[in-house]
Amino acid sequence: MDMAFDILKVVRPNIAKLKPYSSAKDEYSGEANVLLDANENALGSPLTKWYNRYPDPYQKEIKEKLAFIKQVPASQIFLGNGSDEIIALLFTAFCEPGKDNIIICPPTYPMYEVNANINNIEIKSAPLLPDFQLNIAHIEQLVDANTKIIWICSPNNPTGNSLDRIDIETVLNHFDGLVVVDEAYINFSKQKSFCQSLIDYPNLVVLQTLSKAWGLAGLRLGMAFASEAIVGYLNKVKAPYNINLPAQELTLKALEEVGQVNDMIQELVQLRIALAGVFEEMPLVEAVYPSDTNFLLVKIPNATKLYQFLLTKGIVVRDRSSLPNCADTLRITVGTEQENTALVDAMIEWMDQQLA
Ligand SMILES: Cc1ncc(COP(=O)(O)O)c(C=O)c1O
C-alpha cells in the first residue's frame, strides 16, 4: 500500500469526464416571480400548493444547518435518500464494473456487499478478528491496484462495538483509495466522529444518518462528509432531485431539536444498559457483546429456535447466526421499556421450556 492519494486515479474515468444533467434549478436559482422553466404545474397540486415545485437539488439550507451542527463546511456535505443511496452512489462514481474491487470486514452491514454485487464489483473479505476488531494485516494483504473502497462500519452493525480508532487511522494512512467510515450509530457511542478528521484525510468518507439516533428512519435522510472533490463526484452522479421537498422541510424542522435528540440518546443508552444487565443474568445467555449502539448482539444456544419462538409471540429480532464469528447470535434492537419487557418475558418463557 502506498500513500499518495490522487482522486483522479480513484474516480471512474467515464464519471471524471461525465457532463452531468443540468436541471432548470441548476441554470437559474435566484429569486423570480414567474417560473416557467421546469414544466411544473403552475396551478398547484391536490395536496398543497407548494409541492408543485421541484426542491432545491443541493439542499443548501439543510447543509448550512448541518455545517453548524457537525462543524464541517457545507461544501463538504452530501445528502442522500438514506445513507443507503450514498452507498450506492459511491459505487456508481468510483467502482468500475468487472474491473475494480472493494474490501469489506464481515460481519458488517450487508449493503456494501449487495451494492458490489449489483455493480459487478469483486468483493474481498477481511473478516473482523474474534474480538470484532479490524484485521489490519489481512486488509493490507488484500489491497491491489484495483481496490477502490475499504468499507469500515464503526460502531459496527451487527456486532455493536466501535472499531479501534488507531486501526482506522492506519487504514486511512496506508491506502490510496477511499476509506468509508459508516457512522450510522455514532451518536450512541462515546467515540469521537471521524468528521473532524476530514482535514487530515482526503480519502475519507464519513457516513451518518437521521435514521437511528434522530429517530427518522421513515424520512430517508443520509449524510456523507468528505472532501469537496468527492462530494463533487457524488453530485455529478446523483438524480437531480434526490431529496424530496417534504423530506427537506421535515429535516430542517428536525435539525432544530438537537436537545430533544440528545435526551432520547441518553434514554436509549440507559435502556440498552438495563437490557444488557437483564440478558447477562439469564442462565442460557452465553455472551452479551459490548455495544456502542441502540442494539445488542447476544449469543445463546439454539438462537435460531429462539428467533422462531419470538416470532410466534409477535416479537421480531434479527437472527445473525449465519455470519462469520456470529454462530448462535441474535441482534436485538433496544425498544421502549414495555417492548423490552415483552421480549424479556418471552425469552424467559422459552428458556424455562429449554431447561424443563
Ligand atoms: C451501518 C449502517 N449503515 C447504513 C444504514 C442505512 O441507513 P439509512 O436508513 O440512512 O439508509 C444502516 C441501517 O440499518 C446501518 O446499520
Side-chain angles (χ1 to χ4, degrees):
M1 298 200 256
D2 75 65
M3 290 174 40
F5 178 74
D6 177 357
I7 188 76
L8 285 172
K9 288 193 182 144
V10 183
V11 68
R12 290 171 62 197
N14 61 313
I15 302 300
K17 279 192 299 208
L18 177 75
K19 187 176 178 308
Y21 175 71
S22 178
S23 69
K25 291 243 180 205
D26 281 320
E27 286 172 18
Y28 180 78
S29 60
E31 294 292 319
N33 297 323
V34 184
L35 288 171
L36 303 178
D37 58 346
N39 297 347
E40 296 152 338
N41 185 333
L43 302 185
S45 78
L47 290 175
T48 47
K49 184 132 186 130
W50 48 93
Y51 289 140
N52 60 337
R53 300 293 177 188
Y54 285 107
D56 175 1
Y58 300 108
Q59 313 96 22
K60 285 185 210 69
E61 245 183 295
I62 298 176
K63 286 179 186 171
E64 273 158 30
K65 274 203 177 149
L66 277 176
F68 178 74
I69 294 170
K70 303 285 177 185
Q71 294 295 295
V72 172
S75 58
Q76 290 186 249
I77 303 176
F78 178 85
L79 302 181
N81 185 4
S83 28
D84 282 340
E85 186 197 15
I86 309 180
I87 295 169
L89 292 176
L90 284 162
F91 278 92
T92 308
F94 297 103
C95 297
E96 192 67 34
K99 177 176 173 232
D100 289 337
N101 65 71
I102 57 149
I103 296 176
I104 58 170
C105 304
T108 193
Y109 184 50
M111 286 303 281
Y112 318 138
E113 186 172 347
V114 170
N115 279 282
N117 287 328
I118 290 170
N119 289 282
N120 190 22
I121 299 299
E122 185 193 348
I123 299 160
K124 297 186 175 208
S125 271
L128 296 175
L129 296 164
D131 64 354
F132 297 140
Q133 290 297 327
L134 291 174
N135 186 336
I136 294 292
H138 194 174
I139 293 173
E140 188 163 358
Q141 245 173 27
L142 292 179
V143 170
D144 67 22
N146 293 323
T147 307
K148 288 297 185 71
I149 307 180
I150 299 178
W151 295 87
I152 293 174
C153 187
S154 181
N156 187 43
N157 176 6
T159 58
N161 61 303
S162 297
L163 302 188
D164 190 300
R165 191 177 181 90
I166 308 263
D167 284 349
I168 300 175
E169 286 170 353
T170 302
V171 177
L172 281 161
N173 279 319
H174 291 91
F175 176 55
D176 54 15
L178 298 187
V179 179
V180 177
V181 181
D182 185 343
E183 294 186 338
Y185 300 96
I186 191 72
N187 304 91
F188 300 109
S189 167
K190 289 198 195 75
Q191 303 293 317
K192 241 175 45 187
S193 164
F194 266 87
C195 274
Q196 263 50 65
S197 303
L198 286 167
I199 191 135
D200 301 319
Y201 302 110
N203 56 343
L204 170 64
V205 179
V206 179
L207 296 184
Q208 292 188 7
T209 177
L210 296 192
S211 297
K212 309 297 175 185
W214 288 82
L216 290 165
L219 196 62
R220 310 308 299 134
L221 203 288
M223 303 162 261
F225 305 94
S227 72
E228 283 187 17
I230 294 170
V231 167
Y233 288 124
L234 291 172
N235 277 327
K236 261 184 140 179
V237 298
K238 81 182 185 77
Y241 305 109
N242 62 326
I243 310 294
N244 68 60
L245 186 52
Q248 293 201 30
E249 289 171 344
L250 288 170
T251 299
L252 281 169
K253 270 197 185 167
L255 294 180
E256 297 292 327
E257 305 299 338
V258 178
Q260 195 190 322
V261 171
N262 281 332
D263 290 346
M264 273 199 304
I265 293 167
Q266 294 308 317
E267 194 175 337
L268 284 167
V269 168
Q270 287 314 313
L271 287 166
R272 182 191 76 213
I273 292 169
L275 191 59
V278 174
F279 289 156
E280 271 156 16
E281 294 298 312
M282 288 180 166
L284 285 181
V285 169
E286 282 174 18
V288 183
Y289 296 93
S291 173
D292 269 345
T293 65
N294 65 335
F295 60 83
L296 289 163
L297 188 72
V298 178
K299 186 171 171 70
I300 186 160
N302 296 319
T304 303
K305 290 219 170 89
L306 171 57
Y307 168 78
Q308 280 153 357
F309 176 83
L310 291 174
L311 282 183
T312 68
K313 299 276 170 187
I315 298 170
V316 197
V317 298
R318 206 80 203 271
D319 184 5
R320 302 282 72 186
S321 302
S322 63
L323 301 178
N325 281 332
C326 288
D328 275 331
T329 57
L330 298 181
R331 191 197 70 191
I332 299 170
T333 308
V334 175
T336 61
E337 205 152 2
Q338 228 179 356
E339 288 169 332
N340 297 342
T341 303
L343 168 83
V344 166
D345 288 349
M347 283 174 75
I348 290 172
E349 188 183 331
W350 183 77
M351 282 187 257
D352 286 347
Q353 284 176 17
Q354 305 301 299
L355 295 167

